[in-house]
């Protein structure tokens, strides 16, 4: 069984930090919305994104899956009463020359093997897909624009 520990504290009014190992992330702890810092929901969605990207790297050698790059876009929907995330939608783009059946195998394993993915899937609706682009292909203008929105 693995265990994890982080330490978080308020640095100044409206700004806090979380630390573990040699890493530190500043985040918005204000009652409002910061234009510059991640809020707790965005931190959670970031952890979800990291989980999927980490598992691509972890699973690729096990599945002998060849790729050159990955990118992910995650969108969360929050309800107000009670305040909670009710839906997470994700789209992982992977640059690969693997056939569709192998991409499907990777996607099935991503859904099964992620700690954060599985934890959140119990708490809210999680939907997503893997989009495979040929190695060397460029993202469409709409996909690039969507990445810019993040």
């Amino acid at each position: 069984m693995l265990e994890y520990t982080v330490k978080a504290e308020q640095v100044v009014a409206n700004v806090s930090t979380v630390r573990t190992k040699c890493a530190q992330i500043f985040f918005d702890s204000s009652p409002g919305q910061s234009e510059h810092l991640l809020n707790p929901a965005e931190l959670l969605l970031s952890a979800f994104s990291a989980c999927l990207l980490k598992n691509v790297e972890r699973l690729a050698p096990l599945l002998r899956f060849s790729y050159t790059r990955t990118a992910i876009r995650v969108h969360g929907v929050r309800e107000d009463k009670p305040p909670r995330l009710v839906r997470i939608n994700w789209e992982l783009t992977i640059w690969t020359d693997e056939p569709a059946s192998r991409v499907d195998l990777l996607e099935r394993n991503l859904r099964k093997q992620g700690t954060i993915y599985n934890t959140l899937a119990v708490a809210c609706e999680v939907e997503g897909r893997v989009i495979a682009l040929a190695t060397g292909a460029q993202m469409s203008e709409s996909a690039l624009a969507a990445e810019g929105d993040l």
Side-chain angles (χ1 to χ4, degrees), residues 38-94:
L38 297 172
N39 64 41
E42 291 163 335
L43 283 171
L44 185 65
L45 295 176
S46 297
F48 181 85
S49 300
C51 178
L52 282 169
L53 292 175
K54 181 177 183 76
N55 279 317
V56 169
E57 289 196 37
R58 186 177 67 80
L59 291 167
L62 297 172
L63 299 173
R64 294 187 176 100
F65 187 94
S66 176
Y67 72 99
T68 58
R69 180 175 169 226
T70 59
I72 188 166
R73 184 171 197 281
V74 177
H75 177 80
V77 177
R78 177 189 182 269
E79 73 178 16
D80 290 329
K81 293 185 183 179
R84 67 184 190 105
L85 287 176
V86 293
R87 186 177 318 105
I88 296 172
N89 295 93
W90 59 273
E91 189 171 272
L92 183 128
T93 303
I94 190 161

Side-chain angles (χ1 to χ4, degrees), residues 113-133:
Q113 300 298 323
T115 301
I116 306 302
Y117 190 107
N118 289 330
T119 301
L120 292 175
V122 171
C124 68
E125 178 183 337
V126 176
E127 294 180 356
R129 65 186 181 137
V130 174
I131 298 172
L133 296 179

Side-chain angles (χ1 to χ4, degrees), residues 18-39:
V18 63
R19 293 182 188 141
T20 190
K21 301 175 187 167
C22 294
Q24 178 176 5
I25 300 171
F26 289 89
F27 63 94
D28 175 25
S29 55
S30 71
Q33 292 286 331
S34 169
E35 291 289 319
H36 306 287
L37 296 173
L38 297 172
N39 64 41

